[in-house]
Amino acid sequence: MDELIARGFWGPRQESPVQIADKLVAFLAALDDVVGEALRWSSPHLADGLIADPANALQVIGEAFRRNVDAPHLGVTQAYDARGERTEDSSITMNVGGYSAAPNVRNAFVLTWRGEDAGVFADPILRQLISVWEPDWAAVGPRSFMRALSEVQPVGTPEPKIGCLTYLSVGRAQALPGGIDKYVERLDDGGVVLGSGEGDGFLSVDEATELAKMLRLSAAFSPTSTSRSRF
């Protein structure tokens, strides 16, 4: 598997620096458990120490909020990088804490991973992203997979994208059409994970293309979805 991308998106959600720092630290700790090593995440806004330390995370994120005096409703953007024994290069980019209802503004968390056993980590990374960040939708898959589906789900459009595995929150899950039960795993929180239901659970490009076409007109994939936000 080539570079792995895990991403989650959600609509307006005003959160404090403390709330976001706590989520970031929790996600990084969960990621360490997934990969079996303590990754050393750095930030360009942190001269010494690692972002996974709670005090450092709060310092960096709190300062980002303090700098953002002109447009607090848009949230803050952060980027971190890490290397480890099992990863050649990993990065996190997130825009969080935004509470604008403007249709072109959304909160996002994106992890990219290039290294050993990317395919093995895909499912548990997605589960941790769902658990910690509570997105309206999330997807995971290799970059080449995303490119292969670009015709049926163009980059930049706000509706969910089908990955090898895709999560939909309870609101979006309620709007799914019938006839796709073979793809659906229902979660305790009422959301769903869409996958193949066979083998490693990942959708093939052909399966994902078929599912994306089936869902294109679904309310679950509409910007005006019945989920808790329009994203």
Side-chain angles (χ1 to χ4, degrees), residues 20-42:
I20 293 171
D22 286 348
K23 287 183 178 181
L24 176 62
V25 170
F27 180 81
L28 296 182
L31 188 60
D32 286 349
D33 289 341
V34 169
V35 303
E37 66 171 301
L39 298 174
R40 298 179 62 81
W41 291 92
S42 61

Side-chain angles (χ1 to χ4, degrees), residues 87 113 150 156 180 219:
T87 175
W113 179 284
S150 60
I180 63 168

